[in-house]
């Protein structure tokens, strides 16, 4: 008597369908990642415009409204244009199919960024009325930029391709370094404009200089050679020596001994530096878009090849090895069909061709996961440091500079990495319900 199983579906067809579905998911994931990369481009343009407006606002307040009036008006117009382009770009993210699984945090960050933009008008009014100090104005703009940068963090966290992930980490850290350079410009403009660098202002300046070094170091680890070369060239430009000279004056000269005219010199050379940084950012964004496009094209072609191969497999070819051979290899002596008394047991079997496809897909996915680890670790460390700073600001009443200084000093005292101290701070906060810091 022969026993023949009658499954409700063809196992061989199902295996092929799942292989195709696996590749298709990768293509869709990359397409959604490209959408996030395009969003990062809009944010980058807006952040650059706000950075210029922030620096000019600080200089304008510091001069009592006597300098940089025309430039401030120009930078505000540029910020408005970039903000309008950003909001227009966001309209596409409200389509029903855009709210995909895994995007809730990214969409939430967008909402917070829009909330920050809604307060830009009030901040500008206070700047014009000179009811804010230069440092207060700088903090206001910096908080808005921080909200926009948080969107970039979430976009980078969604990367599933190693090369794209590395390119995103490089761009993110360079943007962070550039933002710190923009804060340095505003702080220096305030100090030189007032002809005085009080201890708090000087500490804020030193913190920005130190933090830039870390951001640019991580950028250099992950960036493409062309961007690294452009960054090295930027550091040898004429304005680099002027900035170092003015930095030394700001950090060493006694308060009250600064020439207010240096404010414009400082603003000019730091602006030249930041504008040159934008050109490096342009290279990074171009490389990022190219990585996405190349991978999408390659994965679409591979998807088509997998479909064709699965369709070509013959029934006889699908039945020459046991199913667990995919994972362990076929045991010796086990044939496709074995007699047991009068019965023949027909065991569902996967052929070598399908098995090869399955093995290649499994190996490729494991390789991708291994390559992603380093980029994700760098991103996770930066997010942890930012979270630890936010917790210290919230629960200890510290300023951002004080929070960073505390983390950094603790790391030095304990001979540990800054990221490790930040992780311990976050873990302790979680353990104590965020109320015990």
């Amino acid at each position: 008597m022969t026993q023949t199983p009658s499954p409700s579906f063809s196992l061989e067809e199902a295996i092929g369908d799942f292989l195709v579905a696996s590749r298709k998911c990768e293509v869709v994931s990359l397409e959604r990642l490209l959408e996030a990369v395009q969003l990062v481009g809009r944010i980058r343009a807006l952040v650059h415009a706000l950075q210029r407006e922030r620096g000019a606002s600080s200089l304008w307040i510091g001069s009592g409204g006597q300098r940089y009036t025309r430039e401030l008006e120009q930078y505000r117009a540029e910020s408005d244009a970039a903000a309008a382009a950003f909001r227009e770009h966001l309209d596409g993210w409200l389509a029903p199919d855009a709210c995909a699984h895994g995007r809730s945090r990214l969409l939430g960050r967008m909402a917070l960024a829009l909330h920050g933009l809604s307060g830009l008008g009030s901040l500008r009014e206070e700047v014009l009325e000179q009811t804010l100090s230069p440092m207060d104005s700088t903090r206001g703009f910096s908080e808005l930029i921080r909200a926009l940068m948080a969107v970039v963090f979430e976009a980078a966290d969604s990367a599933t391709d190693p090369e794209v992930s590395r390119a995103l980490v490089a761009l993110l850290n360079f943007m962070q370094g550039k933002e710190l350079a923009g804060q340095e410009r505003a702080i220096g403009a305030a100090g030189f404009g007032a002809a005085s660098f009080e201890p708090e202002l000087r500490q804020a300046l030193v913190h920005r200089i130190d933090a830039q070094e870390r951001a640019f170091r991580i950028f250099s680890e992950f960036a493409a050679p062309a961007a690294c070369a452009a960054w090295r060239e930027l550091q040898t430009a004429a304005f680099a020596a002027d900035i170092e000279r003015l930095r030394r004056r700001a950090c060493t000269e006694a308060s009250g001994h600064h020439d207010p005219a240096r404010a414009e010199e400082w603003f000019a050379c730091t602006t030249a530096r930041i504008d040159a940084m934008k050109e490096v950012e342009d290279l990074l964004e171009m490389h990022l878009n190219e990585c996405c496009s190349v991978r999408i094209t390659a994965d679409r072609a591979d998807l088509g090849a997998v479909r064709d191969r699965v369709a070509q497999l013959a029934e006889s070819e699908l039945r020459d090895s046991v199913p667990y051979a995919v994972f362990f290899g076929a045991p010796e002596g086990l044939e496709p069909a074995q007699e047991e008394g009068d019965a023949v047991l027909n065991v569902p079997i996967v052929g070598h061709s399908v098995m090869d496809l399955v093995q290649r897909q499994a190996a490729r996915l494991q390789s991708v996961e291994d390559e992603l680890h380093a980029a994700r670790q760098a991103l996770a460390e930066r997010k942890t440091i930012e979270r630890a700073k936010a917790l210290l600001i919230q629960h200890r009443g510290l300023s951002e500079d004080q929070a960073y200084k505390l983390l950094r000093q603790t790391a030095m005292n304990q001979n540990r990495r800054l990221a490790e101290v930040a992780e311990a701070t976050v873990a302790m906060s979680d353990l104590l319900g965020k109320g015990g810091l």
Side-chain angles (χ1 to χ4, degrees):
M1 177 178 178
T2 302
Q3 297 175 348
T4 304
S6 55
S8 59
F9 63 93
S10 164
L11 179 60
E12 293 79 15
E13 289 178 357
I15 293 170
D17 290 343
F18 276 102
L19 283 171
V20 171
S22 174
R23 299 299 285 144
K24 186 175 181 181
C25 282
E26 292 184 62
V27 173
V28 171
S29 176
L30 279 169
E31 288 172 344
R32 293 202 175 277
L33 180 57
L34 180 58
E35 294 173 358
V37 167
Q38 292 168 345
L39 173 67
V40 169
R42 296 292 187 182
I43 292 173
R44 192 173 69 84
L46 176 54
V47 166
H48 184 71
L50 290 170
Q51 286 168 341
R52 292 166 70 95
E53 182 180 348
R54 175 181 57 195
S57 297
S58 179
L59 185 59
W60 188 83
I61 295 172
S63 68
Q66 299 302 307
R67 294 195 297 273
Y68 258 75
T69 301
R70 182 171 54 82
E71 289 83 354
L72 182 55
E73 291 176 355
Q74 175 190 338
Y75 294 156
R76 284 184 173 181
E78 292 173 359
S79 294
D80 287 339
F86 171 63
R87 287 193 294 268
E88 182 179 354
H89 183 81
L90 290 188
D91 289 343
W93 287 74
L94 298 177
D97 60 343
C99 300
H101 173 69
R103 278 187 165 181
S104 59
R105 288 179 60 86
L106 180 58
L107 295 172
R109 291 295 186 186
M110 291 181 192
L112 290 173
L114 288 172
H115 175 70
L117 275 175
S118 69
L120 181 57
S122 298
L123 176 59
R124 287 172 168 175
E125 288 180 9
E126 292 186 80
V127 169
L128 287 178
E129 293 169 0
Q130 299 186 48
T131 55
L132 295 176
S133 69
M135 280 301 294
D136 288 336
S137 170
T138 296
R139 290 190 190 99
F141 279 100
S142 297
E143 285 302 313
L144 171 54
I145 292 173
R146 188 197 307 277
L148 290 165
M149 292 287 290
V151 180
V152 181
F153 268 107
E154 292 303 329
D157 214 13
S158 67
T160 56
D161 177 82
E163 189 174 1
V164 175
S165 185
R166 289 180 64 87
L168 266 168
V169 170
L171 176 58
L172 174 61
N173 279 277
F174 195 86
M175 288 179 67
Q176 188 70 23
K178 179 169 169 283
E179 163 56 9
L180 290 163
Q183 293 181 21
E184 180 193 6
R185 172 175 61 183
I187 293 167
F192 283 122
S196 176
F197 278 90
E198 300 299 329
E200 181 182 0
L201 201 63
R202 186 168 291 166
Q203 177 185 325
L205 191 68
V206 170
H207 159 54
R208 266 64 177 190
I209 295 170
D210 290 343
Q212 282 177 65
E213 293 302 316
R214 182 177 186 277
F216 291 132
R217 175 176 55 79
I218 298 174
F219 145 76
S220 298
E221 291 175 6
F222 289 90
C228 290
W231 172 240
R232 288 192 297 269
E233 184 178 350
L234 184 153
Q235 291 174 292
T236 61
F239 53 71
D242 293 332
I243 291 173
E244 286 302 317
R245 172 176 54 82
L246 291 170
R247 278 176 173 174
R248 286 195 296 271
R249 288 185 178 276
C251 294
T252 59
E253 286 187 1
S255 296
H257 288 73
H258 293 284
D259 182 358
R262 286 184 189 145
E264 292 194 30
E265 181 188 3
W266 167 264
F267 193 82
C269 61
T270 52
T271 295
R273 178 182 183 233
I274 291 171
D275 287 347
M277 285 183 187
K278 186 177 182 298
E279 295 180 7
V280 179
E281 268 190 353
D282 291 341
L283 286 175
L284 290 168
E285 185 181 345
M286 189 183 308
H287 175 66
L288 178 57
N289 277 283
E290 182 180 341
C291 286
C292 278
S293 298
V294 168
R295 284 315 307 267
I296 289 172
T297 300
D299 277 19
R300 282 175 178 165
D302 196 35
L303 172 60
V306 170
R307 279 177 172 151
D308 292 343
R309 185 64 184 131
V310 168
Q312 292 168 1
L313 293 175
E315 180 78 11
S316 59
E317 194 179 5
L318 290 169
R319 295 183 174 275
D320 58 1
S321 64
V322 298
Y324 45 81
V326 173
F327 306 104
F328 304 110
E332 291 183 7
L334 185 59
E335 300 298 330
Q338 289 183 320
E339 292 188 4
E340 185 178 303
D342 294 331
V344 177
L345 304 181
N346 292 318
V347 183
I349 296 171
V350 181
H352 286 305
S353 295
V354 172
M355 185 175 71
D356 289 344
L357 288 175
V358 172
Q359 287 176 328
R360 283 201 298 271
Q361 175 72 342
R364 197 180 63 79
L365 290 176
Q366 184 59 55
S367 175
V368 165
E369 188 63 32
D370 292 343
E371 291 179 38
L372 275 172
H373 177 70
R376 283 179 170 166
Q377 184 177 16
L379 179 63
E381 287 185 359
R382 177 161 289 283
K383 292 178 73 172
T384 301
I385 291 170
E386 292 300 316
R387 186 179 174 195
K389 281 165 51 180
L391 289 168
L392 291 172
I393 291 169
Q394 180 181 356
H395 296 290
R396 290 283 189 91
L398 303 179
S399 67
E400 181 182 358
D401 295 339
Q402 291 169 335
Y404 179 81
K405 184 178 180 182
L406 177 59
L407 290 172
R408 191 165 178 264
Q409 190 62 51
T410 302
M412 292 174 63
N413 292 343
Q414 298 179 2
N415 194 27
R416 300 168 69 190
R417 295 172 59 243
L418 180 62
E420 293 174 353
V421 173
E423 186 175 355
T425 302
V426 171
M428 182 61 68
S429 170
D430 292 339
L431 180 65
L432 299 177
K434 299 184 180 179
L437 281 177

